Amino acid sequence: MLKKIILDKEIIKEILSKGGITFLFRMGTMALSFLTMSFITNFYGQANFGNYSLALTIIQITTMVFALGTPNAFVALNGNIDNHYESKGLLLRMYKIGFVASLIPMLLFFFGCNFLPLFLFKKAELSDFFIIISLSIPFMIIYEITFYYFIAQKKIITYGLFAFLPNVIFLLLLFIFKQYHFKPYFNFLAYVLSIIITTLFGVILIFKDKYIKAETKISIREILKKSTPMMVSGIFLFLLNWTDILMLGRLETEANIGIYNAAFKVGSLTLFFVVSMNVIIMPKTSELFNSNNIFEMKKVINRATQIVILLTLPLALLIILFSKTILSFFGQGFEAGSATLILITLGALFNAMTGNVDQILNMTNHQKIVRNIFFGGFILNFILNLYLIPHYGIEGAAISSLISNIIVNIIFVFIIKKKLGFYTFI
């Protein structure tokens, strides 16, 4: 593996130069994310962090559904666009789609703020969280689309700042709200405000030249034809990863939900390098596929995956060996999630070692296959959780996640071999 990596100097140089910047920004983002998580757990306790985790899961699922797959579709469609102004025109069209779609969940969560928390989670205290969710949905969708615009344009530094800034604002607002003794649900409001402020900053940055005429020939119908399968696959991917939290929300205590979420966040660090590599893989794969340069695409994907494997293995081993010590930073009692953390880390490690499999298929016009695989993975995860959580609690949820991750990624690897003619890691 090392010999192959060394021989492809030009590809490695591009991956490491762009990837290095991405890694640095993501490291800073991750560090701030853990600071905010530690702040909430230490000052407000496991139960409040559990409610925050549920609200965060709901808003992320809602954003994924009603963004209608436009963020990923933008990267795929932009591979055929050379004109910078047309890219902005496509962005504006996707903003319109996202805003109109956001009106549905806005009304649903606002008028159902008292009924939905009781119906879904049997937790009346989530009512204030649901009001906040309802008012923030349009900004969350526009943030996601803008985020992927910077990826498609290969603006690595701007993308990094756009990911980093919300965490800075979030942490600052947490300190301010704590000083004024605001109610616990203001923690979630702080998160939402950080996204809103960053979104406004991003839109102003893109359209600061008001005299530029941004238009696109790509119709709404064409966008939705491309984006809808990606939206569905994105939903099932999210559910595959977060079904555990949602089902624990109904079957377990707030304290155990908080412990599991902390373990999940730490275990997901194992995906750090593969997720960071998306910034390089997505636009590059789209560009090379549209120019029919499959050989070069294979080389880029192989080297990127091999670099991810070399970087991920030591990180996963570190988390496994020091699982109790790491969890102790979140407060007393979190060490109970040690076995859960190890299981989650193993599942994430297998995911990382197969590479950016879903995005490779999305960028090569196989988005419907991605949708079907994630749907099957979600069903499998749901069934496993339904059986294992009542018997084994949070460890049962972690076992479900491990099994689902392994099966889904094995299927992806063989589909890529069949459709594109190569394995991602060889």
PDB file of all heavy atoms in Angstrom, residues 206-242:
ATOM      1  N   ILE A 206     -21.155  34.998  -0.814  1.00  0.00           N
ATOM      2  CA  ILE A 206     -21.328  34.498  -2.183  1.00  0.00           C
ATOM      3  C   ILE A 206     -21.892  35.571  -3.109  1.00  0.00           C
ATOM      4  O   ILE A 206     -21.442  35.730  -4.249  1.00  0.00           O
ATOM      5  CB  ILE A 206     -22.257  33.268  -2.193  1.00  0.00           C
ATOM      6  CG1 ILE A 206     -21.592  32.094  -1.455  1.00  0.00           C
ATOM      7  CG2 ILE A 206     -22.596  32.848  -3.623  1.00  0.00           C
ATOM      8  CD1 ILE A 206     -22.527  30.937  -1.175  1.00  0.00           C
ATOM      9  N   PHE A 207     -22.871  36.328  -2.607  1.00  0.00           N
ATOM     10  CA  PHE A 207     -23.572  37.294  -3.461  1.00  0.00           C
ATOM     11  C   PHE A 207     -23.218  38.739  -3.128  1.00  0.00           C
ATOM     12  O   PHE A 207     -24.038  39.636  -3.295  1.00  0.00           O
ATOM     13  CB  PHE A 207     -25.087  37.080  -3.346  1.00  0.00           C
ATOM     14  CG  PHE A 207     -25.538  35.739  -3.841  1.00  0.00           C
ATOM     15  CD1 PHE A 207     -25.813  34.706  -2.953  1.00  0.00           C
ATOM     16  CD2 PHE A 207     -25.666  35.489  -5.195  1.00  0.00           C
ATOM     17  CE1 PHE A 207     -26.234  33.469  -3.394  1.00  0.00           C
ATOM     18  CE2 PHE A 207     -26.090  34.244  -5.652  1.00  0.00           C
ATOM     19  CZ  PHE A 207     -26.366  33.229  -4.755  1.00  0.00           C
ATOM     20  N   LYS A 208     -21.998  38.960  -2.673  1.00  0.00           N
ATOM     21  CA  LYS A 208     -21.608  40.327  -2.289  1.00  0.00           C
ATOM     22  C   LYS A 208     -21.580  41.287  -3.474  1.00  0.00           C
ATOM     23  O   LYS A 208     -21.781  42.486  -3.325  1.00  0.00           O
ATOM     24  CB  LYS A 208     -20.243  40.322  -1.599  1.00  0.00           C
ATOM     25  CG  LYS A 208     -19.097  39.759  -2.408  1.00  0.00           C
ATOM     26  CD  LYS A 208     -17.809  39.784  -1.591  1.00  0.00           C
ATOM     27  CE  LYS A 208     -16.611  39.269  -2.377  1.00  0.00           C
ATOM     28  NZ  LYS A 208     -16.727  37.852  -2.730  1.00  0.00           N
ATOM     29  N   ASP A 209     -21.342  40.755  -4.678  1.00  0.00           N
ATOM     30  CA  ASP A 209     -21.393  41.573  -5.888  1.00  0.00           C
ATOM     31  C   ASP A 209     -22.807  41.526  -6.446  1.00  0.00           C
ATOM     32  O   ASP A 209     -23.171  40.621  -7.188  1.00  0.00           O
ATOM     33  CB  ASP A 209     -20.390  41.061  -6.920  1.00  0.00           C
ATOM     34  CG  ASP A 209     -20.256  42.013  -8.112  1.00  0.00           C
ATOM     35  OD1 ASP A 209     -21.108  42.917  -8.246  1.00  0.00           O
ATOM     36  OD2 ASP A 209     -19.307  41.836  -8.897  1.00  0.00           O
ATOM     37  N   LYS A 210     -23.611  42.502  -6.097  1.00  0.00           N
ATOM     38  CA  LYS A 210     -25.036  42.474  -6.467  1.00  0.00           C
ATOM     39  C   LYS A 210     -25.284  42.714  -7.957  1.00  0.00           C
ATOM     40  O   LYS A 210     -26.393  42.540  -8.446  1.00  0.00           O
ATOM     41  CB  LYS A 210     -25.811  43.511  -5.655  1.00  0.00           C
ATOM     42  CG  LYS A 210     -25.356  44.954  -5.890  1.00  0.00           C
ATOM     43  CD  LYS A 210     -26.129  45.908  -4.985  1.00  0.00           C
ATOM     44  CE  LYS A 210     -25.685  47.368  -5.186  1.00  0.00           C
ATOM     45  NZ  LYS A 210     -26.406  48.280  -4.301  1.00  0.00           N
ATOM     46  N   TYR A 211     -24.235  43.115  -8.680  1.00  0.00           N
ATOM     47  CA  TYR A 211     -24.426  43.412 -10.105  1.00  0.00           C
ATOM     48  C   TYR A 211     -24.241  42.175 -10.988  1.00  0.00           C
ATOM     49  O   TYR A 211     -24.490  42.216 -12.180  1.00  0.00           O
ATOM     50  CB  TYR A 211     -23.431  44.498 -10.541  1.00  0.00           C
ATOM     51  CG  TYR A 211     -23.616  45.784  -9.777  1.00  0.00           C
ATOM     52  CD1 TYR A 211     -22.717  46.161  -8.785  1.00  0.00           C
ATOM     53  CD2 TYR A 211     -24.727  46.609 -10.024  1.00  0.00           C
ATOM     54  CE1 TYR A 211     -22.888  47.340  -8.073  1.00  0.00           C
ATOM     55  CE2 TYR A 211     -24.909  47.787  -9.305  1.00  0.00           C
ATOM     56  CZ  TYR A 211     -23.993  48.149  -8.336  1.00  0.00           C
ATOM     57  OH  TYR A 211     -24.168  49.307  -7.614  1.00  0.00           O
ATOM     58  N   ILE A 212     -23.803  41.099 -10.398  1.00  0.00           N
ATOM     59  CA  ILE A 212     -23.634  39.864 -11.168  1.00  0.00           C
ATOM     60  C   ILE A 212     -24.996  39.215 -11.406  1.00  0.00           C
ATOM     61  O   ILE A 212     -25.765  39.012 -10.474  1.00  0.00           O
ATOM     62  CB  ILE A 212     -22.704  38.882 -10.434  1.00  0.00           C
ATOM     63  CG1 ILE A 212     -21.282  39.444 -10.398  1.00  0.00           C
ATOM     64  CG2 ILE A 212     -22.694  37.519 -11.116  1.00  0.00           C
ATOM     65  CD1 ILE A 212     -20.302  38.591  -9.623  1.00  0.00           C
ATOM     66  N   LYS A 213     -25.268  38.888 -12.647  1.00  0.00           N
ATOM     67  CA  LYS A 213     -26.533  38.243 -12.985  1.00  0.00           C
ATOM     68  C   LYS A 213     -26.344  36.734 -12.925  1.00  0.00           C
ATOM     69  O   LYS A 213     -25.616  36.142 -13.724  1.00  0.00           O
ATOM     70  CB  LYS A 213     -26.990  38.664 -14.384  1.00  0.00           C
ATOM     71  CG  LYS A 213     -28.421  38.235 -14.701  1.00  0.00           C
ATOM     72  CD  LYS A 213     -28.862  38.797 -16.044  1.00  0.00           C
ATOM     73  CE  LYS A 213     -30.320  38.423 -16.323  1.00  0.00           C
ATOM     74  NZ  LYS A 213     -30.778  38.951 -17.631  1.00  0.00           N
ATOM     75  N   ALA A 214     -26.967  36.085 -11.950  1.00  0.00           N
ATOM     76  CA  ALA A 214     -26.804  34.644 -11.748  1.00  0.00           C
ATOM     77  C   ALA A 214     -28.008  33.914 -12.301  1.00  0.00           C
ATOM     78  O   ALA A 214     -29.119  34.063 -11.795  1.00  0.00           O
ATOM     79  CB  ALA A 214     -26.630  34.350 -10.264  1.00  0.00           C
ATOM     80  N   GLU A 215     -27.802  33.133 -13.372  1.00  0.00           N
ATOM     81  CA  GLU A 215     -28.880  32.365 -13.982  1.00  0.00           C
ATOM     82  C   GLU A 215     -28.392  30.957 -14.299  1.00  0.00           C
ATOM     83  O   GLU A 215     -27.201  30.715 -14.447  1.00  0.00           O
ATOM     84  CB  GLU A 215     -29.364  33.043 -15.273  1.00  0.00           C
ATOM     85  CG  GLU A 215     -30.040  34.385 -15.052  1.00  0.00           C
ATOM     86  CD  GLU A 215     -30.540  35.004 -16.349  1.00  0.00           C
ATOM     87  OE1 GLU A 215     -30.106  34.524 -17.423  1.00  0.00           O
ATOM     88  OE2 GLU A 215     -31.338  35.939 -16.296  1.00  0.00           O
ATOM     89  N   THR A 216     -29.338  30.034 -14.429  1.00  0.00           N
ATOM     90  CA  THR A 216     -29.004  28.663 -14.807  1.00  0.00           C
ATOM     91  C   THR A 216     -30.028  28.119 -15.778  1.00  0.00           C
ATOM     92  O   THR A 216     -31.208  28.490 -15.732  1.00  0.00           O
ATOM     93  CB  THR A 216     -28.930  27.752 -13.567  1.00  0.00           C
ATOM     94  OG1 THR A 216     -28.562  26.438 -13.989  1.00  0.00           O
ATOM     95  CG2 THR A 216     -30.266  27.682 -12.831  1.00  0.00           C
ATOM     96  N   LYS A 217     -29.570  27.239 -16.660  1.00  0.00           N
ATOM     97  CA  LYS A 217     -30.474  26.586 -17.616  1.00  0.00           C
ATOM     98  C   LYS A 217     -31.067  25.310 -17.037  1.00  0.00           C
ATOM     99  O   LYS A 217     -31.965  24.710 -17.636  1.00  0.00           O
ATOM    100  CB  LYS A 217     -29.710  26.268 -18.909  1.00  0.00           C
ATOM    101  CG  LYS A 217     -29.207  27.509 -19.641  1.00  0.00           C
ATOM    102  CD  LYS A 217     -28.378  27.111 -20.852  1.00  0.00           C
ATOM    103  CE  LYS A 217     -27.831  28.352 -21.552  1.00  0.00           C
ATOM    104  NZ  LYS A 217     -26.963  27.994 -22.711  1.00  0.00           N
ATOM    105  N   ILE A 218     -30.549  24.885 -15.901  1.00  0.00           N
ATOM    106  CA  ILE A 218     -31.036  23.647 -15.283  1.00  0.00           C
ATOM    107  C   ILE A 218     -32.375  23.915 -14.603  1.00  0.00           C
ATOM    108  O   ILE A 218     -32.479  24.772 -13.722  1.00  0.00           O
ATOM    109  CB  ILE A 218     -30.011  23.104 -14.261  1.00  0.00           C
ATOM    110  CG1 ILE A 218     -28.658  22.860 -14.950  1.00  0.00           C
ATOM    111  CG2 ILE A 218     -30.513  21.814 -13.617  1.00  0.00           C
ATOM    112  CD1 ILE A 218     -27.550  22.473 -14.001  1.00  0.00           C
ATOM    113  N   SER A 219     -33.386  23.193 -15.005  1.00  0.00           N
ATOM    114  CA  SER A 219     -34.736  23.422 -14.494  1.00  0.00           C
ATOM    115  C   SER A 219     -34.930  22.796 -13.118  1.00  0.00           C
ATOM    116  O   SER A 219     -34.142  21.934 -12.691  1.00  0.00           O
ATOM    117  CB  SER A 219     -35.767  22.836 -15.461  1.00  0.00           C
ATOM    118  OG  SER A 219     -35.671  21.424 -15.481  1.00  0.00           O
ATOM    119  N   ILE A 220     -35.998  23.203 -12.460  1.00  0.00           N
ATOM    120  CA  ILE A 220     -36.346  22.619 -11.157  1.00  0.00           C
ATOM    121  C   ILE A 220     -36.619  21.129 -11.305  1.00  0.00           C
ATOM    122  O   ILE A 220     -36.231  20.324 -10.455  1.00  0.00           O
ATOM    123  CB  ILE A 220     -37.566  23.347 -10.549  1.00  0.00           C
ATOM    124  CG1 ILE A 220     -37.181  24.772 -10.146  1.00  0.00           C
ATOM    125  CG2 ILE A 220     -38.116  22.578  -9.347  1.00  0.00           C
ATOM    126  CD1 ILE A 220     -38.318  25.604  -9.616  1.00  0.00           C
ATOM    127  N   ARG A 221     -37.251  20.748 -12.415  1.00  0.00           N
ATOM    128  CA  ARG A 221     -37.540  19.336 -12.653  1.00  0.00           C
ATOM    129  C   ARG A 221     -36.253  18.518 -12.750  1.00  0.00           C
ATOM    130  O   ARG A 221     -36.158  17.415 -12.189  1.00  0.00           O
ATOM    131  CB  ARG A 221     -38.356  19.190 -13.940  1.00  0.00           C
ATOM    132  CG  ARG A 221     -38.784  17.762 -14.224  1.00  0.00           C
ATOM    133  CD  ARG A 221     -39.640  17.696 -15.489  1.00  0.00           C
ATOM    134  NE  ARG A 221     -40.035  16.322 -15.770  1.00  0.00           N
ATOM    135  CZ  ARG A 221     -40.785  15.959 -16.798  1.00  0.00           C
ATOM    136  NH1 ARG A 221     -41.254  16.891 -17.642  1.00  0.00           N
ATOM    137  NH2 ARG A 221     -41.094  14.697 -16.998  1.00  0.00           N
ATOM    138  N   GLU A 222     -35.258  19.045 -13.474  1.00  0.00           N
ATOM    139  CA  GLU A 222     -33.974  18.352 -13.602  1.00  0.00           C
ATOM    140  C   GLU A 222     -33.267  18.231 -12.249  1.00  0.00           C
ATOM    141  O   GLU A 222     -32.660  17.202 -11.943  1.00  0.00           O
ATOM    142  CB  GLU A 222     -33.071  19.091 -14.591  1.00  0.00           C
ATOM    143  CG  GLU A 222     -33.494  18.991 -16.039  1.00  0.00           C
ATOM    144  CD  GLU A 222     -32.612  19.836 -16.954  1.00  0.00           C
ATOM    145  OE1 GLU A 222     -32.823  21.063 -17.014  1.00  0.00           O
ATOM    146  OE2 GLU A 222     -31.702  19.265 -17.570  1.00  0.00           O
ATOM    147  N   ILE A 223     -33.346  19.304 -11.473  1.00  0.00           N
ATOM    148  CA  ILE A 223     -32.720  19.294 -10.150  1.00  0.00           C
ATOM    149  C   ILE A 223     -33.343  18.219  -9.269  1.00  0.00           C
ATOM    150  O   ILE A 223     -32.644  17.418  -8.638  1.00  0.00           O
ATOM    151  CB  ILE A 223     -32.852  20.679  -9.471  1.00  0.00           C
ATOM    152  CG1 ILE A 223     -32.014  21.718 -10.213  1.00  0.00           C
ATOM    153  CG2 ILE A 223     -32.416  20.608  -8.002  1.00  0.00           C
ATOM    154  CD1 ILE A 223     -32.263  23.149  -9.757  1.00  0.00           C
ATOM    155  N   LEU A 224     -34.682  18.195  -9.249  1.00  0.00           N
ATOM    156  CA  LEU A 224     -35.381  17.235  -8.387  1.00  0.00           C
ATOM    157  C   LEU A 224     -35.190  15.801  -8.859  1.00  0.00           C
ATOM    158  O   LEU A 224     -35.144  14.874  -8.041  1.00  0.00           O
ATOM    159  CB  LEU A 224     -36.870  17.575  -8.328  1.00  0.00           C
ATOM    160  CG  LEU A 224     -37.210  18.894  -7.606  1.00  0.00           C
ATOM    161  CD1 LEU A 224     -38.705  19.171  -7.678  1.00  0.00           C
ATOM    162  CD2 LEU A 224     -36.748  18.859  -6.157  1.00  0.00           C
ATOM    163  N   LYS A 225     -35.059  15.602 -10.162  1.00  0.00           N
ATOM    164  CA  LYS A 225     -34.806  14.262 -10.683  1.00  0.00           C
ATOM    165  C   LYS A 225     -33.472  13.726 -10.171  1.00  0.00           C
ATOM    166  O   LYS A 225     -33.327  12.537  -9.879  1.00  0.00           O
ATOM    167  CB  LYS A 225     -34.815  14.291 -12.214  1.00  0.00           C
ATOM    168  CG  LYS A 225     -34.655  12.915 -12.852  1.00  0.00           C
ATOM    169  CD  LYS A 225     -34.696  13.004 -14.369  1.00  0.00           C
ATOM    170  CE  LYS A 225     -34.501  11.614 -14.989  1.00  0.00           C
ATOM    171  NZ  LYS A 225     -34.517  11.680 -16.485  1.00  0.00           N
ATOM    172  N   LYS A 226     -32.508  14.626 -10.072  1.00  0.00           N
ATOM    173  CA  LYS A 226     -31.184  14.247  -9.573  1.00  0.00           C
ATOM    174  C   LYS A 226     -31.164  14.174  -8.056  1.00  0.00           C
ATOM    175  O   LYS A 226     -30.548  13.285  -7.463  1.00  0.00           O
ATOM    176  CB  LYS A 226     -30.151  15.287 -10.035  1.00  0.00           C
ATOM    177  CG  LYS A 226     -28.705  14.917  -9.746  1.00  0.00           C
ATOM    178  CD  LYS A 226     -28.193  13.948 -10.766  1.00  0.00           C
ATOM    179  CE  LYS A 226     -26.708  13.731 -10.649  1.00  0.00           C
ATOM    180  NZ  LYS A 226     -26.191  12.749 -11.618  1.00  0.00           N
ATOM    181  N   SER A 227     -31.829  15.124  -7.421  1.00  0.00           N
ATOM    182  CA  SER A 227     -31.686  15.284  -5.972  1.00  0.00           C
ATOM    183  C   SER A 227     -32.569  14.344  -5.147  1.00  0.00           C
ATOM    184  O   SER A 227     -32.180  13.952  -4.045  1.00  0.00           O
ATOM    185  CB  SER A 227     -31.999  16.734  -5.573  1.00  0.00           C
ATOM    186  OG  SER A 227     -33.382  17.029  -5.717  1.00  0.00           O
ATOM    187  N   THR A 228     -33.754  13.996  -5.666  1.00  0.00           N
ATOM    188  CA  THR A 228     -34.697  13.223  -4.853  1.00  0.00           C
ATOM    189  C   THR A 228     -34.149  11.877  -4.391  1.00  0.00           C
ATOM    190  O   THR A 228     -34.261  11.541  -3.202  1.00  0.00           O
ATOM    191  CB  THR A 228     -36.029  13.034  -5.602  1.00  0.00           C
ATOM    192  OG1 THR A 228     -36.550  14.317  -5.967  1.00  0.00           O
ATOM    193  CG2 THR A 228     -37.049  12.334  -4.723  1.00  0.00           C
ATOM    194  N   PRO A 229     -33.534  11.069  -5.285  1.00  0.00           N
ATOM    195  CA  PRO A 229     -32.937   9.824  -4.786  1.00  0.00           C
ATOM    196  C   PRO A 229     -31.843  10.074  -3.741  1.00  0.00           C
ATOM    197  O   PRO A 229     -31.691   9.295  -2.795  1.00  0.00           O
ATOM    198  CB  PRO A 229     -32.349   9.173  -6.052  1.00  0.00           C
ATOM    199  CG  PRO A 229     -33.107   9.778  -7.184  1.00  0.00           C
ATOM    200  CD  PRO A 229     -33.407  11.177  -6.743  1.00  0.00           C
ATOM    201  N   MET A 230     -31.084  11.171  -3.910  1.00  0.00           N
ATOM    202  CA  MET A 230     -30.047  11.515  -2.939  1.00  0.00           C
ATOM    203  C   MET A 230     -30.669  11.914  -1.606  1.00  0.00           C
ATOM    204  O   MET A 230     -30.126  11.605  -0.540  1.00  0.00           O
ATOM    205  CB  MET A 230     -29.180  12.667  -3.467  1.00  0.00           C
ATOM    206  CG  MET A 230     -28.339  12.305  -4.669  1.00  0.00           C
ATOM    207  SD  MET A 230     -27.268  13.665  -5.160  1.00  0.00           S
ATOM    208  CE  MET A 230     -26.440  12.944  -6.582  1.00  0.00           C
ATOM    209  N   MET A 231     -31.801  12.598  -1.682  1.00  0.00           N
ATOM    210  CA  MET A 231     -32.520  12.967  -0.462  1.00  0.00           C
ATOM    211  C   MET A 231     -32.972  11.725   0.295  1.00  0.00           C
ATOM    212  O   MET A 231     -32.755  11.598   1.502  1.00  0.00           O
ATOM    213  CB  MET A 231     -33.731  13.837  -0.815  1.00  0.00           C
ATOM    214  CG  MET A 231     -34.606  14.219   0.375  1.00  0.00           C
ATOM    215  SD  MET A 231     -36.036  13.099   0.604  1.00  0.00           S
ATOM    216  CE  MET A 231     -37.049  13.560  -0.802  1.00  0.00           C
ATOM    217  N   VAL A 232     -33.555  10.777  -0.431  1.00  0.00           N
ATOM    218  CA  VAL A 232     -34.045   9.549   0.205  1.00  0.00           C
ATOM    219  C   VAL A 232     -32.889   8.761   0.800  1.00  0.00           C
ATOM    220  O   VAL A 232     -32.962   8.279   1.937  1.00  0.00           O
ATOM    221  CB  VAL A 232     -34.838   8.693  -0.809  1.00  0.00           C
ATOM    222  CG1 VAL A 232     -35.282   7.381  -0.161  1.00  0.00           C
ATOM    223  CG2 VAL A 232     -36.052   9.457  -1.321  1.00  0.00           C
ATOM    224  N   SER A 233     -31.792   8.623   0.045  1.00  0.00           N
ATOM    225  CA  SER A 233     -30.631   7.891   0.564  1.00  0.00           C
ATOM    226  C   SER A 233     -30.030   8.608   1.754  1.00  0.00           C
ATOM    227  O   SER A 233     -29.577   7.971   2.717  1.00  0.00           O
ATOM    228  CB  SER A 233     -29.581   7.687  -0.533  1.00  0.00           C
ATOM    229  OG  SER A 233     -29.045   8.917  -0.975  1.00  0.00           O
ATOM    230  N   GLY A 234     -30.027   9.949   1.718  1.00  0.00           N
ATOM    231  CA  GLY A 234     -29.516  10.725   2.842  1.00  0.00           C
ATOM    232  C   GLY A 234     -30.344  10.519   4.101  1.00  0.00           C
ATOM    233  O   GLY A 234     -29.801  10.423   5.210  1.00  0.00           O
ATOM    234  N   ILE A 235     -31.649  10.436   3.934  1.00  0.00           N
ATOM    235  CA  ILE A 235     -32.537  10.175   5.070  1.00  0.00           C
ATOM    236  C   ILE A 235     -32.224   8.827   5.694  1.00  0.00           C
ATOM    237  O   ILE A 235     -32.074   8.704   6.914  1.00  0.00           O
ATOM    238  CB  ILE A 235     -34.011  10.214   4.629  1.00  0.00           C
ATOM    239  CG1 ILE A 235     -34.410  11.618   4.188  1.00  0.00           C
ATOM    240  CG2 ILE A 235     -34.927   9.736   5.752  1.00  0.00           C
ATOM    241  CD1 ILE A 235     -35.732  11.668   3.460  1.00  0.00           C
ATOM    242  N   PHE A 236     -32.111   7.806   4.833  1.00  0.00           N
ATOM    243  CA  PHE A 236     -31.863   6.467   5.367  1.00  0.00           C
ATOM    244  C   PHE A 236     -30.457   6.329   5.950  1.00  0.00           C
ATOM    245  O   PHE A 236     -30.254   5.573   6.902  1.00  0.00           O
ATOM    246  CB  PHE A 236     -32.117   5.413   4.293  1.00  0.00           C
ATOM    247  CG  PHE A 236     -33.571   5.250   3.964  1.00  0.00           C
ATOM    248  CD1 PHE A 236     -34.023   5.363   2.659  1.00  0.00           C
ATOM    249  CD2 PHE A 236     -34.505   5.007   4.962  1.00  0.00           C
ATOM    250  CE1 PHE A 236     -35.371   5.225   2.361  1.00  0.00           C
ATOM    251  CE2 PHE A 236     -35.856   4.870   4.685  1.00  0.00           C
ATOM    252  CZ  PHE A 236     -36.287   4.975   3.377  1.00  0.00           C
ATOM    253  N   LEU A 237     -29.491   7.071   5.391  1.00  0.00           N
ATOM    254  CA  LEU A 237     -28.153   7.083   5.998  1.00  0.00           C
ATOM    255  C   LEU A 237     -28.217   7.697   7.391  1.00  0.00           C
ATOM    256  O   LEU A 237     -27.643   7.169   8.349  1.00  0.00           O
ATOM    257  CB  LEU A 237     -27.184   7.876   5.118  1.00  0.00           C
ATOM    258  CG  LEU A 237     -25.812   8.185   5.748  1.00  0.00           C
ATOM    259  CD1 LEU A 237     -25.071   6.893   6.076  1.00  0.00           C
ATOM    260  CD2 LEU A 237     -24.986   9.064   4.838  1.00  0.00           C
ATOM    261  N   PHE A 238     -28.917   8.808   7.491  1.00  0.00           N
ATOM    262  CA  PHE A 238     -29.041   9.476   8.783  1.00  0.00           C
ATOM    263  C   PHE A 238     -29.776   8.587   9.785  1.00  0.00           C
ATOM    264  O   PHE A 238     -29.354   8.454  10.936  1.00  0.00           O
ATOM    265  CB  PHE A 238     -29.783  10.804   8.618  1.00  0.00           C
ATOM    266  CG  PHE A 238     -29.670  11.694   9.821  1.00  0.00           C
ATOM    267  CD1 PHE A 238     -28.598  12.547   9.965  1.00  0.00           C
ATOM    268  CD2 PHE A 238     -30.623  11.665  10.823  1.00  0.00           C
ATOM    269  CE1 PHE A 238     -28.481  13.366  11.074  1.00  0.00           C
ATOM    270  CE2 PHE A 238     -30.517  12.475  11.938  1.00  0.00           C
ATOM    271  CZ  PHE A 238     -29.442  13.339  12.060  1.00  0.00           C
ATOM    272  N   LEU A 239     -30.861   7.973   9.325  1.00  0.00           N
ATOM    273  CA  LEU A 239     -31.611   7.078  10.201  1.00  0.00           C
ATOM    274  C   LEU A 239     -30.778   5.857  10.586  1.00  0.00           C
ATOM    275  O   LEU A 239     -30.850   5.380  11.723  1.00  0.00           O
ATOM    276  CB  LEU A 239     -32.903   6.629   9.516  1.00  0.00           C
ATOM    277  CG  LEU A 239     -33.984   7.712   9.377  1.00  0.00           C
ATOM    278  CD1 LEU A 239     -35.136   7.196   8.523  1.00  0.00           C
ATOM    279  CD2 LEU A 239     -34.485   8.176  10.738  1.00  0.00           C
ATOM    280  N   LEU A 240     -29.972   5.379   9.641  1.00  0.00           N
ATOM    281  CA  LEU A 240     -29.084   4.264   9.925  1.00  0.00           C
ATOM    282  C   LEU A 240     -28.132   4.610  11.068  1.00  0.00           C
ATOM    283  O   LEU A 240     -27.856   3.796  11.942  1.00  0.00           O
ATOM    284  CB  LEU A 240     -28.285   3.909   8.659  1.00  0.00           C
ATOM    285  CG  LEU A 240     -27.224   2.808   8.765  1.00  0.00           C
ATOM    286  CD1 LEU A 240     -27.867   1.481   9.155  1.00  0.00           C
ATOM    287  CD2 LEU A 240     -26.472   2.667   7.450  1.00  0.00           C
ATOM    288  N   ASN A 241     -27.654   5.864  11.070  1.00  0.00           N
ATOM    289  CA  ASN A 241     -26.709   6.308  12.098  1.00  0.00           C
ATOM    290  C   ASN A 241     -27.382   6.755  13.392  1.00  0.00           C
ATOM    291  O   ASN A 241     -26.800   6.647  14.467  1.00  0.00           O
ATOM    292  CB  ASN A 241     -25.851   7.462  11.556  1.00  0.00           C
ATOM    293  CG  ASN A 241     -24.876   6.997  10.492  1.00  0.00           C
ATOM    294  OD1 ASN A 241     -24.393   5.872  10.531  1.00  0.00           O
ATOM    295  ND2 ASN A 241     -24.605   7.854   9.525  1.00  0.00           N
ATOM    296  N   TRP A 242     -28.628   7.265  13.263  1.00  0.00           N
ATOM    297  CA  TRP A 242     -29.267   7.885  14.422  1.00  0.00           C
ATOM    298  C   TRP A 242     -30.521   7.164  14.910  1.00  0.00           C
ATOM    299  O   TRP A 242     -31.171   7.617  15.851  1.00  0.00           O
ATOM    300  CB  TRP A 242     -29.608   9.342  14.104  1.00  0.00           C
ATOM    301  CG  TRP A 242     -28.391  10.210  14.073  1.00  0.00           C
ATOM    302  CD1 TRP A 242     -27.537  10.400  13.023  1.00  0.00           C
ATOM    303  CD2 TRP A 242     -27.873  11.009  15.138  1.00  0.00           C
ATOM    304  NE1 TRP A 242     -26.531  11.259  13.370  1.00  0.00           N
ATOM    305  CE2 TRP A 242     -26.710  11.660  14.661  1.00  0.00           C
ATOM    306  CE3 TRP A 242     -28.287  11.251  16.450  1.00  0.00           C
ATOM    307  CZ2 TRP A 242     -25.955  12.516  15.447  1.00  0.00           C
ATOM    308  CZ3 TRP A 242     -27.530  12.118  17.235  1.00  0.00           C
ATOM    309  CH2 TRP A 242     -26.384  12.731  16.725  1.00  0.00           C
TER     310      TRP A 242
END
